[in-house]
Amino acid sequence: LRKEDYASAVPLLLLAGADDDWTPPQTCESLARRVAEHRLGKSVELVVYPDSVHGFDGTGPVRRRTDITGGVDPGGDHVGGNPAARADTLSRTDHFLRRYLD
C-alpha cells in the first residue's frame, strides 16, 4: 500500500508532540489533511501538543537519547513526559474509545 493510497478503515486518533525530533508530526499532519480533504474513509483526529517531544505521554523527565538512529538529529533525539499533554492524552483517549467502542 502506497501512502498516497491510504484510506482509514476505522476512526483514528493521532496524538503527536510538536517538538518530537525522533518521529516528527509532519507525516501525521499530512495524513490527517489528506484523509479530510479527499474523504478517504473514516475520520482522522489529530492533536499536536506544543512543547512536547517523543514520549510526551510518559512520566519521565525530558532527556536526550544518543542510542537512537533514524531520527532528525544523528546525534540523538529527545524523549520525556509533558504533564499537561499526558493528562489531555489520557482524557482524550478515554473519550475517543468510549465514543467508538461503547
Side-chain angles (χ1 to χ4, degrees):
L1 181 68
R2 298 174 307 162
K3 68 180 181 179
E4 57 270 15
D5 293 335
Y6 180 84
S8 61
V10 296
L12 297 176
L13 174 61
L14 304 173
L15 306 170
D19 300 328
D20 191 330
D21 53 2
W22 187 348
T23 53
Q26 287 80 10
T27 301
C28 291
E29 291 168 337
S30 175
L31 172 66
R33 188 172 39 257
R34 199 167 54 251
V35 168
E37 288 174 358
H38 301 288
R39 298 186 180 156
L40 301 172
K42 302 294 182 183
S43 68
V44 175
E45 181 180 344
L46 170 66
V47 180
V48 179
Y49 293 97
D51 304 315
S52 297
V53 298
H54 198 84
F56 63 85
D57 57 339
T59 58
V62 173
R63 63 187 174 91
R64 184 178 181 93
R65 288 192 48 187
T66 58
D67 61 325
I68 298 170
T69 60
V72 173
D73 184 345
D77 299 297
H78 295 86
V79 296
N82 174 328
R86 175 183 166 78
D88 188 74
T89 295
L90 294 174
S91 173
R92 192 176 296 272
T93 301
D94 182 62
H95 178 73
F96 181 85
L97 293 173
R98 287 180 189 279
R99 181 172 38 179
Y100 293 107
L101 297 180
D102 277 350

